[in-house]
Amino acid sequence: MSKNIRALAAKCCYSVIDQGRSLSDELPKQQDKLEGKDKGLLQEICYGVLRYLPELENDIRQLMDKPLTGKQRVFHFLLIVGVYQIKYMRTPDHAAVSETVAATSVLKNRHMKALVNGVLRNFVRQQNTEQQNSTTLSDAITFNHPGWFIKKLQQGYPNQWQAILTANQLKPPMWLRVNQQVQTTENYQALLTNNEITVKATEPNSGAIELSRPVDVQKLPGFNEGWVSVQDAAAQQAARLLDCKPGDVVLDCCAAPGGKTCHMLETTPDITSMTAIDIEETRLERVRDNLSRLKLNAKVIAGDAANPDSWWDGQLYDRILLDAPCSGTGVIRRHPDIKWLRKSSDIDALVVLQQQILKSIWSLLKPGGTLLYATCSVLPEENSLQIAKFIEENSNAQLIAITDKVDDIGWQLVPDDRNMDGFYYAKLIKNQ
Ligand SMILES: C[S@@+](CC[C@H](N)C(=O)[O-])C[C@H]1O[C@@H](n2cnc3c(N)ncnc32)[C@H](O)[C@@H]1O
């Protein structure tokens, strides 16, 4: 079994970038081959490479006659892994070079040894002489994001696009949600302090707790007993905004892995029923696991929200959460592979799917009922433009203001707002 971390990192990045696989599927497969701290090192390299990909590719391009193609592509990623360590990690240069060169034997192509060695040594030399690149770099290389996405951000956020791109490059914070059925945020904060886990901030609207640095969930007091969950503070706004009341019949129609389903049940345990739908049966296992850890109950059903005939029992809902399938462009700092897996053409298809789900689900809402539309996207077409169109086409849909700006259609959070993820919420009431 291969134990060279650099070889595993190159394979993992190759699977994501060239084969279109998701990092959260690929990384654990490679981590299984390692033990202890090495798993963390592999994760750090893979996340780093995906964060800085255009810049690192540009670095090696300067040092090679022609790019590596076909069967040699994995060595393209090995070179990038080497350059990432030299530029961004504390590994001494000579160790980064020799370990990366050693990976060529593990990857069973000794012919590549000389090339990897030569390129990395040249890179180290260039770094040490601080040769400055005089060419003007494209935005894609400067900001390490795909060009199509930068253009969309420039249109949507003429004054903020650079701040969003910069925030996307940072390591994400770890936010906790305290189970309000068990204790208050203040009590749990004290428990954390007693356990030498430092709190950086709390979010006043939701009571979310931000830790100074991420910790293993098993170190969180009462995690297995359901006292606390890991959930970004932006995602924790959903339960507050939907504001379920005792006796409500509630639907969460894109529920997996169940973070918001559970949060709503924690904050309003005396609702009449919670139905949690998701199209992916395998992802519903996570919903069941979360409900069971938190000792909560919901009807969990595999079904297509755009086609309720196959699962709806005929009872209208008082509250509906539609946490729609989206581009995920608000959570790039947590999933840097999104930058490379998502294509511009995917956005149009997602906008259509969101429209279809909205239309179908709206008919399941009681007159006077509330629907909360949510995405973890920062793109206006999935968010404010989507909702503006819906309101225009549905005269019984009334937008309820969330922010105090009268022109806002919904509430757009971007990843540099109070260190929360990029998220969007729009609250609609169905007029009688
Ligand atoms: C943003 S995630 C939901 C996150 C979840 N609400 C939470 O807080 O944990 C979107 C979910 O929508 C599901 N989905 C996508 N298309 C769907 C459809 N047509 N019907 C129901 N669920 C769908 C996906 O499987 C995915 O689990």
Side-chain angles (χ1 to χ4, degrees):
M1 198 187 294
S2 152
K3 291 272 173 75
N4 183 301
I5 299 169
R6 282 78 185 171
L8 297 178
K11 279 187 187 173
C12 190
C13 295
Y14 169 75
S15 302
V16 172
I17 304 296
D18 279 18
Q19 299 184 313
R21 305 213 169 110
S22 106
L23 181 61
S24 49
D25 288 342
E26 289 306 304
L27 182 61
K29 285 189 212 159
Q30 304 297 350
Q31 279 177 318
D32 282 350
K33 299 172 187 163
L34 298 169
E35 274 162 29
K37 280 189 177 165
D38 287 352
K39 289 178 194 275
L41 179 58
L42 176 65
Q43 174 166 330
E44 187 178 351
I45 296 176
C46 292
Y47 271 75
V49 164
L50 295 172
R51 283 204 177 97
Y52 293 97
L53 188 68
E55 174 192 310
L56 301 170
E57 289 195 314
N58 185 53
D59 288 332
I60 60 164
R61 204 166 24 241
Q62 322 273 332
L63 299 166
M64 294 175 69
D65 299 334
K66 56 181 174 45
L68 295 171
T69 54
K71 285 190 177 157
Q72 297 177 334
R73 279 291 285 176
V74 74
F75 295 94
H76 168 81
F77 291 102
L78 184 63
L79 283 170
I80 289 175
V81 163
V83 171
Y84 173 72
Q85 292 167 85
I86 295 163
K87 253 182 138 166
Y88 288 108
M89 290 177 68
R90 272 185 258 156
T91 327
D93 291 349
H94 64 87
V97 174
S98 65
E99 288 290 323
T100 310
V101 170
T104 55
S105 317
V106 179
L107 291 169
K108 299 200 177 67
N109 191 334
R110 286 170 204 279
H111 305 302
M112 282 289 152
K113 193 172 173 180
L115 180 116
V116 172
N117 192 29
V119 171
L120 293 185
R121 278 178 194 281
N122 278 341
F123 182 71
V124 170
R125 208 170 299 130
Q126 193 189 58
Q127 290 274 104
N128 292 343
T129 53
E130 289 182 19
Q131 278 177 22
Q132 292 300 316
N133 194 333
S134 57
T135 51
T136 313
L137 297 176
S138 66
D139 281 346
I141 295 173
T142 306
F143 292 102
N144 284 299
H145 279 71
W148 68 266
F149 178 65
I150 297 178
K151 271 200 196 111
K152 278 188 187 288
L153 276 193
Q154 286 168 334
Q155 283 159 8
Y157 304 85
N159 302 318
Q160 225 183 340
W161 62 275
Q162 287 169 311
I164 297 173
L165 294 173
T166 306
N168 281 352
Q169 290 296 94
L170 302 176
K171 290 186 179 164
M174 182 168 180
W175 284 95
L176 303 180
R177 179 186 89 226
V178 180
N179 185 346
Q180 301 295 325
Q181 281 194 51
V182 181
Q183 61 205 308
T184 62
T185 298
E186 290 71 30
N187 285 349
Y188 195 77
Q189 226 179 311
L191 261 180
L192 288 172
T193 309
N194 291 343
N195 283 272
E196 291 172 4
I197 298 175
T198 337
V199 170
K200 184 175 170 201
T202 53
E203 209 289 309
N205 281 332
S206 62
I209 297 177
E210 183 187 358
L211 299 185
S212 299
R213 68 195 71 83
V215 298
D216 186 327
V217 289
Q218 293 304 331
K219 297 216 168 98
L220 295 171
F223 180 79
N224 291 332
E225 292 74 35
W227 299 359
V228 71
S229 301
V230 176
Q231 187 178 41
D232 191 86
Q236 292 189 47
Q237 307 297 325
R240 174 180 72 86
L241 293 170
L242 192 55
D243 193 22
C244 296
K245 300 288 183 216
D248 277 351
V249 178
V250 183
L251 171 69
D252 184 352
C253 67
C254 292
K260 300 184 189 73
T261 315
C262 292
H263 193 197
M264 289 187 278
L265 288 164
E266 283 171 4
T267 48
T268 329
D270 40 7
I271 57 172
T272 295
S273 67
M274 167 68 77
T275 306
I277 304 285
D278 203 278
I279 200 161
E280 282 191 40
E281 175 61 54
T282 48
R283 283 173 61 80
L284 285 172
E285 262 325 294
R286 301 263 317 272
V287 181
R288 293 188 190 99
D289 289 349
N290 280 323
L291 287 165
S292 131
R293 184 179 62 84
L294 295 160
K295 303 174 188 68
L296 299 166
N297 286 309
K299 296 178 205 165
V300 178
I301 304 172
D304 180 355
N307 182 18
D309 289 352
S310 59
W311 51 265
W312 186 47
D313 64 4
Q315 190 178 17
L316 292 172
Y317 298 99
D318 297 287
R319 318 253 160 187
I320 298 179
L321 173 63
L322 166 50
D323 190 9
C326 72
S327 61
T329 44
V331 289
I332 284 175
R333 59 187 186 162
R334 295 191 187 280
H335 305 283
D337 53 333
I338 286 178
K339 293 193 282 191
W340 318 117
L341 296 177
R342 213 53 87 234
K343 303 288 171 237
S344 176
S345 55
D346 297 343
I347 308 302
D348 299 338
L350 282 164
V351 168
V352 171
L353 175 63
Q354 291 154 358
Q355 257 166 29
Q356 286 167 345
I357 299 181
L358 247 176
K359 187 171 172 227
S360 309
I361 289 297
W362 188 246
S363 64
L364 311 187
L365 186 66
K366 263 186 201 166
T370 305
L371 181 145
L372 185 69
Y373 176 82
T375 72
C376 55
S377 164
V378 291
L379 299 177
E381 52 260 64
E382 297 181 86
N383 298 340
S384 55
L385 298 178
Q386 178 75 279
I387 294 301
K389 184 169 187 292
F390 185 76
I391 297 166
E392 201 181 294
E393 291 172 357
N394 293 274
S395 56
N396 62 354
Q398 184 194 340
L399 183 71
I400 302 298
I402 300 177
T403 71
D404 48 17
K405 293 195 196 115
V406 279
D407 293 338
D408 279 357
I409 300 175
W411 181 27
Q412 181 71 65
L413 287 150
V414 296
D416 69 338
D417 285 341
R418 302 202 298 270
N419 216 8
M420 293 195 257
D421 283 347
F423 240 86
Y424 175 78
Y425 289 107
K427 188 169 175 171
L428 300 169
I429 286 191
K430 191 173 192 175
N431 284 331
Q432 310 276 346

